[in-house]
Amino acid sequence: MNLHIIDTGYFKLDGGAMFGVVPKTLWNKHNPADEKNLCSWSMRCLLIEDENRLILVDTGLGDKQDDKFFGFYDLHGDATLIGSIKKAGFSPEDVTDVILTHLHFDHVGGAVKYNTDKSVLLPTFPNATYWSNASHWQWATNPNPREKASFLKENILPIQESGQLKFIDNEKSPFTNIDFIHVNGHTEQMMLPVIHYKNQKIIYAADLIPSSFHLPLPWVMSYDVRPLLTMQEKESVLKKAAEEKCILLFEHDPVYEAAVVEQTEKGIKILERGDLKNFI
């Protein structure tokens, strides 16, 4: 198995929304906001070579929305999904599987693209099976008013229409070396891949723990539909990470790719954080 960090650029979100009830005087020390109260966040995906499979976890924001849409999020940085995949030595045609942790636009946007004349939306990875789960798919395609703006039909429906969509059973993984933790605080049935790499476990934390700044239990995003449940799920995952010495891989941390944690008298704290390559 080989692992490749796939950077897809940065975007900006309101600091208050990203840190929920936590006062700005606290969170602004970690990720300082600009004059509009916006903070920069990464959209960090993961490419996994495992025997004859090339597995991509999440796909970033993509590039098919209009300028007005991107203007809300101030997309910046030089990295792109396809550019980073090519930098790793592969093409979109090489990808055999795409794991979608959930279907919010900053995680699934790159999964679908326009054809050359922008008349048809097609899967970005023509030879890949796209993996979601039945409960979350139903949730995303019949969205509640709170999340409706995050579930864009143009990101989601073309995957099903292509015939490339499959669902992961909660009890059984379709991958030899990847298990899943299913959580329901951020959105219905978000899937956190747990990658068994050599003698280590890497938890791709998606939006349960979007950054290393979000380790304290009350530091929960306002986007979460069930914030109290998020706190319980975060506590469970952090306990697992500390006890089993798992590596946490952060999707949105603008500085740190990964971290390892430890149990202390004052709770679970970061032992070390940095690039993923430093831990594997």
Side-chain angles (χ1 to χ4, degrees):
M1 181 185 285
N2 292 307
L3 304 176
H4 307 272
I5 292 292
I6 300 297
D7 289 317
T8 70
Y10 297 85
F11 70 148
K12 289 189 175 184
L13 294 172
D14 184 85
M18 285 298 290
F19 290 104
V21 299
V22 179
K24 184 177 181 180
T25 52
L26 295 179
W27 62 252
N28 200 56
K29 299 174 185 177
H30 299 282
N31 193 355
D34 65 15
E35 67 280 358
K36 296 180 181 178
N37 209 50
L38 301 175
C39 305
S40 283
W41 303 95
S42 75
M43 291 175 284
R44 183 176 296 111
C45 306
L46 181 67
L47 193 64
I48 305 166
E49 291 181 78
D50 192 14
E51 296 181 347
N52 62 341
R53 299 176 91 158
L54 186 64
I55 306 159
L56 177 66
V57 182
D58 278 353
T59 65
L61 195 59
D63 60 4
K64 64 184 175 296
Q65 265 69 40
D66 58 24
D67 291 340
K68 181 180 179 181
F69 177 87
F70 288 122
F72 293 132
Y73 302 104
D74 190 14
L75 189 64
H76 58 286
D78 297 328
T80 65
L81 173 65
I82 302 305
S84 293
I85 290 173
K86 289 181 177 178
K87 187 177 179 180
F90 303 98
S91 72
E93 291 75 19
D94 295 327
V95 177
T96 62
D97 300 88
V98 178
I99 296 170
L100 299 168
T101 61
H102 60 300
L103 299 169
H104 287 166
F105 62 79
D106 55 314
H107 297 257
V108 70
V112 172
K113 66 174 184 177
Y114 275 112
N115 64 349
T116 51
D117 63 2
K118 291 192 173 184
S119 60
V120 179
L121 288 167
L122 300 169
T124 303
F125 305 97
N127 301 317
T129 298
Y130 285 73
W131 297 95
S132 182
N133 66 76
S135 294
H136 184 65
W137 189 269
Q138 177 68 18
W139 182 270
T141 52
N142 296 277
N144 61 78
R146 178 165 180 167
E147 286 185 278
K148 189 174 183 179
S150 293
F151 292 127
L152 307 180
K153 291 182 178 180
E154 61 268 29
N155 286 337
I156 301 171
L157 296 183
I159 299 172
Q160 186 175 46
E161 292 163 358
S162 72
Q164 293 173 234
L165 175 67
K166 287 188 178 180
F167 292 143
I168 292 174
D169 188 301
N170 281 30
E171 304 301 323
K172 186 177 180 181
S173 172
F175 302 97
T176 304
N177 294 307
I178 304 174
D179 299 323
F180 293 90
I181 300 170
H182 296 257
V183 291
N184 294 281
H186 178 63
T187 187
E188 180 76 8
Q189 286 292 289
M190 181 169 65
M191 304 187 298
L192 310 184
V194 181
I195 301 113
H196 297 258
Y197 177 76
K198 298 181 180 179
N199 294 319
Q200 297 172 296
K201 292 180 183 178
I202 300 167
I203 301 174
Y204 186 89
D207 277 352
L208 178 67
I209 312 172
S211 78
S212 62
F213 316 134
H214 286 83
L215 256 69
L217 296 184
W219 292 48
V220 171
M221 294 187 292
S222 295
Y223 300 114
D224 290 15
V225 295
R226 305 178 185 102
L228 295 180
L229 182 55
T230 293
M231 291 174 63
Q232 296 173 19
E233 293 169 340
K234 187 196 295 188
E235 185 175 28
S236 175
V237 168
L238 287 173
K239 183 179 179 181
K240 175 183 176 69
E243 290 178 351
E244 300 179 20
K245 295 180 170 52
C246 302
I247 299 164
L248 294 171
L249 181 57
F250 303 115
E251 190 157 6
H252 290 309
D253 195 306
V255 181
Y256 304 102
E257 294 177 358
V260 290
V261 297
E262 63 178 348
Q263 182 70 54
T264 73
E265 293 180 356
K266 295 184 178 181
I268 292 175
K269 304 292 184 182
I270 291 176
L271 179 62
E272 185 180 355
R273 58 185 175 178
D275 290 348
L276 179 62
K277 65 183 180 182
N278 296 338
F279 301 104
I280 59 175

